[in-house]
Amino acid sequence: DAGVIQSPRHEVTEMGQEVTLRCKPISGHDYLFWYRQTMMRGLELLIYFNNNVPIDDSGMPEDRFSAKMPNASFSTLKIQPSEPRDSAVYFCASRAGTGNYGYTFGSGTRLTVV
Amino acid sequence: GENVEQHPSTLSVQEGDSAVIKCTYSDSASNYFPWYKQELGKGPQLIIDIRSNVGEKKDQRIAVTLNKTAKHFSLHITETQPEDSAVYFCAASRGTYKYIFGTGTRLKVLA
């Protein structure tokens, strides 16, 4: 298995622009998580899905952030409009609903908003 | 709210020595405690985990201990090697798939 695949690896954008981050979870995993990592706040859970349905989006910072999972093999995290304080590494992770409870993380997208 | 404190934030050890990282959690209903290793430019990787019905678990040079009464758990790495250098995160979960992560420990193994 190729693991959790995220794209792009790096994104530099200007303030006010729309940014879309993409994630392909491991096949068969029915939970998908979006995390944000910064030096100040560490790893923060933004939202997670079960069977493509959003379960908990309480970590989404504000209405500028939205996430979708149109099918079991694809999810997006969108920021519109982007702001410099959104600069961070965004991770997607997935796990199966049964078996051990560990997540598998992707390699992340480093977002820089200038 | 729920919180996981992790110490120390940085740790330097000589190659071959042991390293210990400690975490304390606030939610007494937590029942699953994973540890992740994050190398530069990569996502966190699960290295070991423990459930609340077990006091200790070992996997080669890595071990985790859990004290439910005191609400703390620790990661022990023996015979450290340069490739153990990374950032380590602890986490706690009450089995709802939502983790509360610690703030991370940057481990440096000096050759």
PDB file of all heavy atoms in Angstrom, chain B residues 90-106:
ATOM      1  N   CYS B  90       3.328  12.009  22.477  1.00  0.00           N
ATOM      2  CA  CYS B  90       2.404  11.095  23.133  1.00  0.00           C
ATOM      3  C   CYS B  90       0.982  11.572  22.836  1.00  0.00           C
ATOM      4  O   CYS B  90       0.769  12.711  22.397  1.00  0.00           O
ATOM      5  CB  CYS B  90       2.637  11.062  24.638  1.00  0.00           C
ATOM      6  SG  CYS B  90       2.329  12.633  25.491  1.00  0.00           S
ATOM      7  N   ALA B  91       0.012  10.721  23.063  1.00  0.00           N
ATOM      8  CA  ALA B  91      -1.384  11.097  22.876  1.00  0.00           C
ATOM      9  C   ALA B  91      -2.253  10.248  23.791  1.00  0.00           C
ATOM     10  O   ALA B  91      -1.839   9.173  24.243  1.00  0.00           O
ATOM     11  CB  ALA B  91      -1.817  10.932  21.418  1.00  0.00           C
ATOM     12  N   ALA B  92      -3.446  10.764  24.073  1.00  0.00           N
ATOM     13  CA  ALA B  92      -4.414  10.028  24.879  1.00  0.00           C
ATOM     14  C   ALA B  92      -5.756  10.081  24.175  1.00  0.00           C
ATOM     15  O   ALA B  92      -6.100  11.084  23.542  1.00  0.00           O
ATOM     16  CB  ALA B  92      -4.510  10.627  26.277  1.00  0.00           C
ATOM     17  N   SER B  93      -6.497   8.997  24.312  1.00  0.00           N
ATOM     18  CA  SER B  93      -7.806   8.914  23.666  1.00  0.00           C
ATOM     19  C   SER B  93      -8.737   8.114  24.552  1.00  0.00           C
ATOM     20  O   SER B  93      -8.317   7.196  25.246  1.00  0.00           O
ATOM     21  CB  SER B  93      -7.662   8.232  22.301  1.00  0.00           C
ATOM     22  OG  SER B  93      -8.915   7.871  21.785  1.00  0.00           O
ATOM     23  N   ARG B  94     -10.002   8.463  24.515  1.00  0.00           N
ATOM     24  CA  ARG B  94     -10.995   7.677  25.250  1.00  0.00           C
ATOM     25  C   ARG B  94     -11.703   6.716  24.315  1.00  0.00           C
ATOM     26  O   ARG B  94     -12.828   6.302  24.577  1.00  0.00           O
ATOM     27  CB  ARG B  94     -11.981   8.597  25.968  1.00  0.00           C
ATOM     28  CG  ARG B  94     -12.613   9.678  25.116  1.00  0.00           C
ATOM     29  CD  ARG B  94     -13.857  10.248  25.727  1.00  0.00           C
ATOM     30  NE  ARG B  94     -13.612  10.920  26.991  1.00  0.00           N
ATOM     31  CZ  ARG B  94     -14.582  11.311  27.810  1.00  0.00           C
ATOM     32  NH1 ARG B  94     -15.852  11.068  27.487  1.00  0.00           N
ATOM     33  NH2 ARG B  94     -14.313  11.921  28.932  1.00  0.00           N
ATOM     34  N   GLY B  95     -11.003   6.363  23.234  1.00  0.00           N
ATOM     35  CA  GLY B  95     -11.533   5.347  22.337  1.00  0.00           C
ATOM     36  C   GLY B  95     -12.524   5.885  21.338  1.00  0.00           C
ATOM     37  O   GLY B  95     -13.241   5.123  20.698  1.00  0.00           O
ATOM     38  N   THR B  96     -12.556   7.217  21.185  1.00  0.00           N
ATOM     39  CA  THR B  96     -13.503   7.815  20.247  1.00  0.00           C
ATOM     40  C   THR B  96     -12.820   8.214  18.942  1.00  0.00           C
ATOM     41  O   THR B  96     -13.385   8.941  18.166  1.00  0.00           O
ATOM     42  CB  THR B  96     -14.137   9.082  20.844  1.00  0.00           C
ATOM     43  OG1 THR B  96     -13.088  10.008  21.153  1.00  0.00           O
ATOM     44  CG2 THR B  96     -14.919   8.749  22.092  1.00  0.00           C
ATOM     45  N   TYR B  97     -11.567   7.739  18.757  1.00  0.00           N
ATOM     46  CA  TYR B  97     -10.788   8.040  17.559  1.00  0.00           C
ATOM     47  C   TYR B  97     -10.233   9.460  17.562  1.00  0.00           C
ATOM     48  O   TYR B  97      -9.529   9.845  16.660  1.00  0.00           O
ATOM     49  CB  TYR B  97     -11.597   7.818  16.278  1.00  0.00           C
ATOM     50  CG  TYR B  97     -12.276   6.475  16.250  1.00  0.00           C
ATOM     51  CD1 TYR B  97     -13.650   6.365  16.382  1.00  0.00           C
ATOM     52  CD2 TYR B  97     -11.533   5.316  16.142  1.00  0.00           C
ATOM     53  CE1 TYR B  97     -14.266   5.133  16.380  1.00  0.00           C
ATOM     54  CE2 TYR B  97     -12.139   4.078  16.145  1.00  0.00           C
ATOM     55  CZ  TYR B  97     -13.509   3.987  16.262  1.00  0.00           C
ATOM     56  OH  TYR B  97     -14.114   2.772  16.269  1.00  0.00           O
ATOM     57  N   LYS B  98     -10.550  10.227  18.570  1.00  0.00           N
ATOM     58  CA  LYS B  98     -10.048  11.592  18.661  1.00  0.00           C
ATOM     59  C   LYS B  98      -8.920  11.607  19.683  1.00  0.00           C
ATOM     60  O   LYS B  98      -9.148  11.278  20.846  1.00  0.00           O
ATOM     61  CB  LYS B  98     -11.178  12.511  19.109  1.00  0.00           C
ATOM     62  CG  LYS B  98     -10.831  13.976  19.155  1.00  0.00           C
ATOM     63  CD  LYS B  98     -12.091  14.774  19.503  1.00  0.00           C
ATOM     64  CE  LYS B  98     -11.777  16.249  19.680  1.00  0.00           C
ATOM     65  NZ  LYS B  98     -12.992  17.029  19.932  1.00  0.00           N
ATOM     66  N   TYR B  99      -7.704  11.932  19.247  1.00  0.00           N
ATOM     67  CA  TYR B  99      -6.562  11.966  20.146  1.00  0.00           C
ATOM     68  C   TYR B  99      -6.348  13.372  20.689  1.00  0.00           C
ATOM     69  O   TYR B  99      -6.567  14.353  19.991  1.00  0.00           O
ATOM     70  CB  TYR B  99      -5.264  11.614  19.415  1.00  0.00           C
ATOM     71  CG  TYR B  99      -5.131  10.223  18.865  1.00  0.00           C
ATOM     72  CD1 TYR B  99      -4.009   9.889  18.127  1.00  0.00           C
ATOM     73  CD2 TYR B  99      -6.086   9.246  19.053  1.00  0.00           C
ATOM     74  CE1 TYR B  99      -3.838   8.629  17.602  1.00  0.00           C
ATOM     75  CE2 TYR B  99      -5.928   7.975  18.527  1.00  0.00           C
ATOM     76  CZ  TYR B  99      -4.798   7.677  17.798  1.00  0.00           C
ATOM     77  OH  TYR B  99      -4.622   6.427  17.269  1.00  0.00           O
ATOM     78  N   ILE B 100      -5.838  13.454  21.906  1.00  0.00           N
ATOM     79  CA  ILE B 100      -5.275  14.687  22.428  1.00  0.00           C
ATOM     80  C   ILE B 100      -3.775  14.468  22.455  1.00  0.00           C
ATOM     81  O   ILE B 100      -3.289  13.579  23.169  1.00  0.00           O
ATOM     82  CB  ILE B 100      -5.793  15.009  23.846  1.00  0.00           C
ATOM     83  CG1 ILE B 100      -7.323  15.021  23.884  1.00  0.00           C
ATOM     84  CG2 ILE B 100      -5.215  16.341  24.312  1.00  0.00           C
ATOM     85  CD1 ILE B 100      -7.969  16.061  23.013  1.00  0.00           C
ATOM     86  N   PHE B 101      -3.041  15.257  21.671  1.00  0.00           N
ATOM     87  CA  PHE B 101      -1.599  15.078  21.565  1.00  0.00           C
ATOM     88  C   PHE B 101      -0.865  15.909  22.606  1.00  0.00           C
ATOM     89  O   PHE B 101      -1.292  17.006  22.968  1.00  0.00           O
ATOM     90  CB  PHE B 101      -1.106  15.494  20.181  1.00  0.00           C
ATOM     91  CG  PHE B 101      -1.274  14.434  19.130  1.00  0.00           C
ATOM     92  CD1 PHE B 101      -2.397  14.423  18.323  1.00  0.00           C
ATOM     93  CD2 PHE B 101      -0.304  13.466  18.949  1.00  0.00           C
ATOM     94  CE1 PHE B 101      -2.566  13.443  17.348  1.00  0.00           C
ATOM     95  CE2 PHE B 101      -0.458  12.480  17.981  1.00  0.00           C
ATOM     96  CZ  PHE B 101      -1.593  12.472  17.181  1.00  0.00           C
ATOM     97  N   GLY B 102       0.276  15.394  23.055  1.00  0.00           N
ATOM     98  CA  GLY B 102       1.206  16.193  23.836  1.00  0.00           C
ATOM     99  C   GLY B 102       1.935  17.166  22.912  1.00  0.00           C
ATOM    100  O   GLY B 102       1.764  17.133  21.694  1.00  0.00           O
ATOM    101  N   THR B 103       2.761  17.997  23.495  1.00  0.00           N
ATOM    102  CA  THR B 103       3.428  19.076  22.756  1.00  0.00           C
ATOM    103  C   THR B 103       4.723  18.631  22.095  1.00  0.00           C
ATOM    104  O   THR B 103       5.344  19.401  21.378  1.00  0.00           O
ATOM    105  CB  THR B 103       3.711  20.263  23.674  1.00  0.00           C
ATOM    106  OG1 THR B 103       4.339  19.786  24.859  1.00  0.00           O
ATOM    107  CG2 THR B 103       2.413  20.981  24.050  1.00  0.00           C
ATOM    108  N   GLY B 104       5.133  17.397  22.324  1.00  0.00           N
ATOM    109  CA  GLY B 104       6.296  16.867  21.625  1.00  0.00           C
ATOM    110  C   GLY B 104       7.601  16.994  22.406  1.00  0.00           C
ATOM    111  O   GLY B 104       7.786  17.916  23.207  1.00  0.00           O
ATOM    112  N   THR B 105       8.502  16.042  22.176  1.00  0.00           N
ATOM    113  CA  THR B 105       9.853  16.046  22.756  1.00  0.00           C
ATOM    114  C   THR B 105      10.845  15.858  21.627  1.00  0.00           C
ATOM    115  O   THR B 105      10.762  14.879  20.881  1.00  0.00           O
ATOM    116  CB  THR B 105      10.027  14.914  23.779  1.00  0.00           C
ATOM    117  OG1 THR B 105       9.149  15.114  24.879  1.00  0.00           O
ATOM    118  CG2 THR B 105      11.472  14.836  24.270  1.00  0.00           C
ATOM    119  N   ARG B 106      11.767  16.801  21.511  1.00  0.00           N
ATOM    120  CA  ARG B 106      12.802  16.669  20.484  1.00  0.00           C
ATOM    121  C   ARG B 106      13.962  15.900  21.101  1.00  0.00           C
ATOM    122  O   ARG B 106      14.644  16.393  22.016  1.00  0.00           O
ATOM    123  CB  ARG B 106      13.267  18.038  20.006  1.00  0.00           C
ATOM    124  CG  ARG B 106      14.280  17.977  18.866  1.00  0.00           C
ATOM    125  CD  ARG B 106      14.577  19.371  18.324  1.00  0.00           C
ATOM    126  NE  ARG B 106      13.393  20.016  17.778  1.00  0.00           N
ATOM    127  CZ  ARG B 106      12.912  19.808  16.568  1.00  0.00           C
ATOM    128  NH1 ARG B 106      13.515  18.961  15.744  1.00  0.00           N
ATOM    129  NH2 ARG B 106      11.836  20.446  16.155  1.00  0.00           N
TER     130      ARG B 106
END
